[in-house]
Amino acid sequence: AVVSTQSTGMAKIVTTREVRRFIISSLRVAGGRDVQCEDLADILVAADTRGHYSHGLNRLEMYCEDYTRGTTDKDALPSTEKETAATALVNGNNCLGATVGKYSMNLAIQKCKETGVGVVTAKGSNHYGIAGFYGLMAKEAGLIGISMTNTSPLQVPTRGKVCTLGTNPISVIAPAQGDDYYALDMATSAVAIGKIEVARRKGEDLPAGWGCDSQGIEAREADAVLNGGGLFPLGGSEISGGYKGYGLALMVDLFCGILAGATWGPNIRSWQAANETRVADLGQFFMAVDPGVFGDGFSGRLQQLMDTHRALDPIAGQDSVLVPGDPERTHEKLCEDSGGIPYHEAFIRDMGILAQKMNVDPMKTLD
């Protein structure tokens, strides 16, 4: 995925400790329990640190509202309904998605260490943040991590004009040599809905191919996409290959909604509708693979594959050819060098409004 550029322009720096404090304080006011608050803070901070601002603090108010409305059970914890040596079905019990995701991937990792592969599906879950967080959990254990989730219908299928599928992200993360790794983390829609929201907040036009209006016609205004329109599949229109993204989005729902026995496609509740009282019942997929049970020298061979592409001559105007995960590592280094996470000043103002709403101290910036 392309890393967002909230860090450019009029940026304010907030330490990760202060961001965590703000997340945990806000969620506790909404009724969250300690474990869920900590789980969510881990994932939202990771998203913003890696440059995926659409899935970091940008989502905090949504999680708080799910608690205050009662559409997420603040007292619930996930449980394992059935399992074999290498597989499991988890019931999220309408718990916070971050807690369901961490529970499920930890279970997949445990089974992988015992059998060479672990596959876990989850039903009864909620929005779980960036899919890549769970692959990173497996990578830290020396394993390949795969995660997917279905989401509220925000994507218009090829040749359609009604949203029937979510952004349905896919993440595959694998360890190479040293601290290097491959990290694919992408929506199967052209972009995540959060990127449209960020563009609206910043008053920017949308790039071509991101979304359409209520008639299925390509739109360059964020409001047209958010108010009755929808996201294009990955690839955009049919002529530019959007049908491939559409097929991938259906595949994600196969592994998540259908395989897990969760709600699927257009049956999932609407996205952030003020009058929406249904539970999400999202389906999610987690897989951990031990590369050591397959061909020898996996990490070294993967390193060669990535470095081969990094060494290619780039096109005019670009510094280098990147591999998945490179933009995120660059943004992590930016945060490290800056002493915190850079946020656009307009976003800081929005978080100040949320702080007033939740009656918590607003985030303090370094400058």
Side-chain angles (χ1 to χ4, degrees):
V2 176
V3 173
S4 178
T5 55
Q6 229 192 96
S7 53
T8 63
M10 298 171 286
K12 301 288 185 180
I13 306 298
V14 185
T15 66
T16 56
R17 181 175 182 177
E18 176 66 0
V19 176
R20 287 184 62 86
R21 191 274 309 165
F22 181 67
I23 294 167
I24 291 170
S25 297
S26 299
L27 204 63
R28 279 177 176 159
V29 169
R33 300 298 184 254
D34 286 348
V35 63
Q36 290 96 331
C37 295
E38 294 286 345
D39 287 342
L40 185 64
D42 288 344
I43 290 167
L44 299 192
V45 169
D48 284 351
T49 302
R50 292 176 67 77
H52 293 289
Y53 288 103
S54 61
H55 281 60
L57 270 182
N58 187 56
R59 286 278 162 262
L60 178 58
E61 186 171 11
M62 177 195 74
Y63 294 114
C64 291
E65 288 181 349
D66 279 349
Y67 270 155
T68 55
R69 289 178 187 169
T71 52
T72 297
D73 189 341
K74 64 181 183 298
D75 297 314
L77 289 173
S79 58
T80 303
E81 282 200 350
K82 65 170 72 170
E83 63 182 320
T84 68
T87 67
L89 171 64
V90 166
N91 190 334
N93 297 312
N94 198 31
C95 180
L96 191 71
T99 299
V100 178
K102 291 180 79 172
Y103 176 93
S104 299
M105 184 50 93
N106 277 326
L107 185 56
I109 290 169
Q110 173 191 328
K111 290 181 177 298
C112 178
K113 289 181 176 179
E114 295 170 354
T115 67
V117 63
V119 179
V120 176
T121 62
K123 62 181 180 179
S125 190
N126 286 285
H127 194 282
Y128 76 168
I130 54 170
F133 183 88
Y134 307 99
L136 288 169
M137 289 174 61
K139 188 268 295 183
E140 290 301 314
L143 308 172
I144 302 169
I146 302 171
S147 185
M148 314 177 208
T149 181
N150 63 11
T151 75
S152 297
L154 296 165
Q155 180 181 164
V156 174
T158 300
R159 300 189 182 184
K161 56 184 179 180
V162 176
C163 294
T164 58
L165 292 164
T167 57
N168 292 12
I170 301 171
S171 177
V172 180
I173 298 185
Q177 290 184 321
D179 295 330
D180 207 357
Y181 57 93
Y182 169 92
L184 176 71
D185 185 1
M186 66 175 217
T188 54
S189 54
V191 292
I193 191 67
K195 294 190 187 302
I196 308 291
E197 295 166 341
V198 169
R200 178 171 65 178
R201 178 178 289 122
K202 295 168 70 173
E204 296 176 348
D205 288 339
L206 303 180
W210 276 24
C212 63
D213 62 18
S214 60
Q215 298 304 307
I217 306 302
E218 183 173 320
R220 302 298 292 271
E221 303 80 26
D223 283 336
V225 176
L226 294 171
N227 299 321
L231 299 172
F232 273 146
L234 181 65
S237 62
E238 182 173 3
I239 196 169
S240 60
Y243 59 91
K244 298 175 183 178
Y246 168 41
L248 286 173
L250 282 172
M251 181 201 75
V252 171
D253 224 347
L254 181 159
F255 281 109
C256 296
I258 307 302
L259 189 64
T263 305
W264 50 268
N267 302 309
I268 299 174
R269 71 178 186 184
S270 300
W271 177 251
Q272 294 185 301
N275 60 348
E276 183 62 86
T277 59
R278 293 176 294 167
V279 300
D281 187 29
L282 298 184
Q284 289 153 358
F285 179 91
F286 307 85
M287 185 174 185
V289 179
D290 181 359
V293 303
F294 297 98
D296 293 338
F298 173 83
S299 61
R301 288 159 56 80
L302 176 58
Q303 191 68 54
Q304 291 176 343
L305 174 64
M306 296 193 300
D307 288 346
T308 295
H309 289 84
R310 288 169 173 154
L312 295 171
D313 288 333
I315 61 173
Q318 298 296 329
D319 294 331
S320 61
V321 175
L322 305 177
V323 299
D326 284 347
E328 288 84 352
R329 277 185 288 273
T330 298
H331 199 272
E332 287 176 331
K333 183 64 165 56
L334 171 67
C335 292
E336 180 182 348
D337 293 344
S338 302
I341 304 171
Y343 294 103
H344 194 280
E345 63 177 8
F347 183 77
I348 294 293
R349 289 196 296 269
D350 287 346
M351 291 300 100
I353 295 170
L354 178 60
Q356 289 181 327
K357 178 180 177 180
M358 303 307 296
N359 194 28
V360 301
D361 291 337
M363 290 191 302
K364 298 178 178 64
T365 61
L366 290 182
D367 50 345

